[in-house]
Amino acid sequence: FPSHDTWGERIKIRNRKGEDLIPIEYLANLAKYHKEWLDNTSIPILKITSNPHELEKLASFVQSVSN
């Protein structure tokens, strides 16, 4: 799960007008509440990753919800 630091870096890279005004505290709270929601929801969550070591977990998840 991307941290608020990662989001901040992505905002800088995109260089979209206005995004640079988003306070880091807002991003930190957003990351916190989003993670809490993901950790406590009862619905299946599909986590998309770019980490090749996580692809086996992804394949297993897709198989589990498609049966």
Side-chain angles (χ1 to χ4, degrees):
F1 184 80
S3 70
H4 63 282
D5 293 327
T6 301
W7 291 348
E9 288 182 26
R10 290 177 182 171
I11 287 171
K12 287 179 187 176
I13 291 169
R14 285 193 301 264
N15 196 28
R16 294 180 183 156
K17 185 176 180 179
E19 278 191 337
D20 58 328
L21 302 175
I22 300 172
I24 196 72
E25 295 84 14
Y26 176 84
L27 295 175
N29 281 328
L30 184 64
K32 174 187 167 194
Y33 293 126
H34 189 238
K35 182 173 180 348
E36 285 177 8
W37 176 77
L38 288 173
D39 289 345
N40 294 298
T41 187
S42 61
I43 62 172
I45 301 295
L46 176 60
K47 179 181 175 184
I48 304 297
T49 180
S50 59
N51 181 342
H53 302 292
E54 299 270 333
L55 291 177
E56 187 174 316
K57 288 184 195 177
L58 177 60
S60 176
F61 174 83
V62 170
Q63 184 176 17
S64 73
V65 296
S66 64
N67 292 333

